[in-house]
Amino acid sequence: MPRNHPALIATTALAPIAWGTTYATTTQFLPAGAPMLTALLRALPAGLLLLAITRALPRGNWWWKASVLGFLNVGAFFPLLFIGAYRLPGGVAATVGAIQPLIVVMLAHVWLGERATVVKLAAGAAGVV
């Protein structure tokens, strides 16, 4: 499939569109003041589905790696995400989310020595706009 195929571009756009509904969904449709329950309801079904599909548990030193990754990617991230969604106004949350690519460009420049090119900065700025 070519890289500029319209169906591929449209499919790629679905993830940020779905992710962008987190704050509206949290404030409009979910029970107020229950960020931990909301985080559990978001993560648990996906985890159980993945376990049912793979029917395999980590082996050897992958137990600690999976534990660390699970904590950082799900166990800490989702509760913090929903605490933020319940407490921050949607506009502030959207602005913070929109500047993340620029933050990554700057961190990659400082920590990894990658050049912060005009294209990267312009793409990040376009995302904010």
Side-chain angles (χ1 to χ4, degrees):
M1 184 178 298
R3 291 179 71 169
N4 60 354
H5 192 273
L8 180 62
I9 293 169
T11 303
T12 304
L14 289 177
I17 290 170
W19 187 258
T21 65
T22 298
Y23 297 98
T25 302
T26 300
T27 57
Q28 299 300 315
F29 302 112
L30 297 176
M36 298 304 281
L37 174 64
T38 305
L40 174 76
L41 292 175
R42 180 158 180 174
L44 187 61
L48 292 175
L49 180 65
L50 287 172
L51 186 60
I53 290 170
T54 62
R55 295 183 184 258
L57 294 174
R59 297 172 206 244
N61 67 351
W62 276 100
W63 273 104
W64 74 267
K65 292 176 184 179
S67 298
V68 170
L69 288 172
F71 175 75
L72 294 176
N73 288 329
V74 179
F77 177 73
F78 280 149
L80 292 173
L81 170 72
F82 287 107
I83 288 169
Y86 278 111
R87 294 185 180 185
L88 288 176
V92 173
T95 303
V96 170
I99 65 169
Q100 286 177 359
L102 290 172
I103 294 170
V104 170
V105 169
M106 290 299 127
L107 291 174
H109 176 69
V110 171
W111 289 344
L112 304 175
E114 286 190 18
R115 288 177 26 116
T117 64
V118 172
V119 173
K120 291 176 185 177
L121 294 172
V128 172
V129 172

